[in-house]
Amino acid sequence: MAQPIVFNATFEDVLWDTAKLAIAYFLALPIGWNREREGHSAGLRTFPIVSVAACGFAMVGMAIPNANSDSHSRILQGLITGIGFVGGGAILRDQDTVRGTATAASIWLIGIVGAAVGLGMYHIAVVLTVINFLTLKVLTPFKHRLDAESPSRNGRDSG
């Protein structure tokens, strides 16, 4: 017979878990803001939700009793595959143009940010967020310039 699930978290556990979820949420905001401001299909709502969900998923997965490194690995594999599916929804094809790959990659990355926070690897989460944000902010003007100069590269957000 299955054992009943018992809530045995202390108040400190609840506060710490809530803080992790909040960190994941706030790390996703700059990326979501950038994508929203640029008018992409995923933005200010999608990115924090993906990050918080990934964080929660990682926290729950790591808390499974009697779990080992193999089960933790399978949890992360499933998480990353699922987030890749969500990111795939941001990719649009219009005749010979593909748009949304940078947004899709950013969704995938922000899922990793959430998982890193859930696993307590804050330094990785912060560095990934900074790299993603700077890449979108700094390289976008160069990307637009390249697109304008080359008629064969007229797709927005194609990488």
Side-chain angles (χ1 to χ4, degrees), residues 111-126:
I112 297 168
V113 166
V117 171
L119 297 171
M121 298 177 172
Y122 306 102
H123 59 291
I124 293 172
V126 169

Side-chain angles (χ1 to χ4, degrees), residues 6 26-27 32 35 40 45-46 55 57 63 65 67 70 74 81 106 115 118 121-122 124 132 143 147 159:
V6 178
F26 286 110
L27 284 174
R35 298 287 81 194
H40 296 282
R45 296 178 302 165
T46 304
C55 180
F57 193 77
D70 287 340
R74 285 191 302 275
T81 300
S106 294
M121 298 177 172
Y122 306 102
I124 293 172
N132 195 156
K143 168 88 173 73
D147 288 346

Side-chain angles (χ1 to χ4, degrees), residues 66-82:
N66 302 319
N68 58 29
S69 61
D70 287 340
S71 55
H72 292 160
S73 174
R74 285 191 302 275
I75 289 165
L76 290 174
Q77 290 169 15
L79 174 65
I80 297 307
T81 300

Side-chain angles (χ1 to χ4, degrees), residues 77-149:
Q77 290 169 15
L79 174 65
I80 297 307
T81 300
I83 292 168
F85 178 78
V86 172
I91 298 174
L92 305 170
R93 184 166 187 265
D94 184 23
Q95 295 179 356
D96 63 344
T97 305
V98 176
R99 298 176 12 178
T101 54
T103 299
S106 294
I107 289 171
W108 192 69
L109 181 136
I110 213 65
I112 297 168
V113 166
V117 171
L119 297 171
M121 298 177 172
Y122 306 102
H123 59 291
I124 293 172
V126 169
V127 169
L128 287 173
T129 300
V130 169
I131 288 171
N132 195 156
F133 184 75
L134 289 177
T135 299
L136 293 172
K137 288 298 282 181
V138 173
L139 295 182
T140 296
F142 296 111
K143 168 88 173 73
H144 291 313
R145 193 173 309 137
L146 285 173
D147 288 346
E149 291 173 3

